[in-house]
Amino acid sequence: MSETQYQWYPGHMTKARRMMQENSKLVDLIIELTDARIPLSSRNPDIDTMFGNKARILVLTKADLADPVRTDRFVKQFAESGITAIPVDARTRKGIDQIRREIDKACAAKRERDRKRGIIGRPVRAMVVGIPNVGKSTFINSFAGKASAKTGNKPGVTRGKQWIRVSKELELLDTPGILWPKFEDPAVGMRLALTGAIRQELLEEQELAMRLLDYLQENYPDLLRGRYMPEGEEERWTFPLKPEMLLEMVAQSRNLVRAGGEPDQMRAAVLLLDELRSGRIGRITLE
Ligand SMILES: Nc1nc2c(ncn2[C@@H]2O[C@H](COP(=O)(O)OP(=O)(O)OP(=O)(O)O)[C@@H](O)[C@H]2O)c(=O)[nH]1
Ligand SMILES: [Mg+2]
């Protein structure tokens, strides 16, 4: 996979970025969402320059899909560098209460300033930012306890800005997902494609699937075997295998064959990527 494939930056993201910077002065806090499966690769390096030293909290979304052991490790690593990172599972609302407390903590100074100036009851305003499809709108909905923001399992669902009033004390600004113009490390682009932050059509499925299989063989061999080992053929498919062979193994395990009996790598790749994204292979962290 060549690096140039990831050098792109759609115009609507430039627009979104401008809108976010303009709204920066209206908010007390930035809630930065990252994907728990790729907590480093899903952090937009531009956020620092966009919002300077505005109060910020870090949320790791889709924790239900990530490897819990690695999530714990990342939370500790972030804590060591002074960042409170909170894993959430929007489906069960796990983590939401802790975020509420962190918002209160992060805004305590602001409330005190307001109080001294005689301003009472002004709500805290927070901007929710993150890469496409990371779960910003879903997060806001689970926070608000109602479906106020439009969500969908593809990048680019939210296009404009939308304020959502969570309570008398809190208002959240939903924003469109943005990326950054160039991925210095091509592996970052690959991880963003695997988790669904970049539209699939932009990438070659088979190549992506083989990279994934190689990673799974190295990091989660039991999950890989458990789901895709053709019955009674453990001896033929002894790890380590080349990525091409792993894809063939997936094809065979699901009887995906082309006319003539050759394994259908293309369909195997699509199936594998789909099963990864939906969590059916297991709880997997990709870095
Ligand atoms: N498993 C799981 N899925 C989630 C979670 N949060 C969000 N999703 C799913 O992720 C997909 C994207 O969610 P959205 O809330 O639309 O993401 P977004 O960040 O607003 O996306 P854009 O507006 O396109 O930038 C949806 O299919 C959600 O159901 C979570 O905690 N766990
Ligand atoms: Mg959205």
Side-chain angles (χ1 to χ4, degrees), residues 24-25 55 68 71 75 79 107-108 120 123-124 166-167 183 212 219 276:
S24 168
K25 50 186 173 304
T71 300
V75 168
C107 295
I120 341 167
V124 165
V166 173
S167 66
F183 304 129
L212 171 64
N219 293 272
L276 171 82

Side-chain angles (χ1 to χ4, degrees), residues 97-149:
D97 286 337
Q98 194 193 344
I99 291 171
R100 218 179 283 278
R101 288 194 296 275
E102 288 301 327
I103 292 176
D104 284 343
K105 240 198 270 173
C107 295
K110 176 245 176 212
R111 284 215 173 90
E112 183 57 23
R113 263 197 321 275
D114 274 5
R115 200 185 56 78
K116 281 198 181 127
R117 287 155 61 195
I119 305 168
I120 341 167
R122 193 174 68 170
V124 165
R125 294 203 181 91
M127 188 183 328
V128 178
V129 305
I131 60 168
N133 207 32
V134 70
K136 297 176 292 299
S137 301
T138 305
F139 168 79
I140 291 175
N141 288 344
S142 55
F143 219 101
K146 55 182 188 235
S148 305

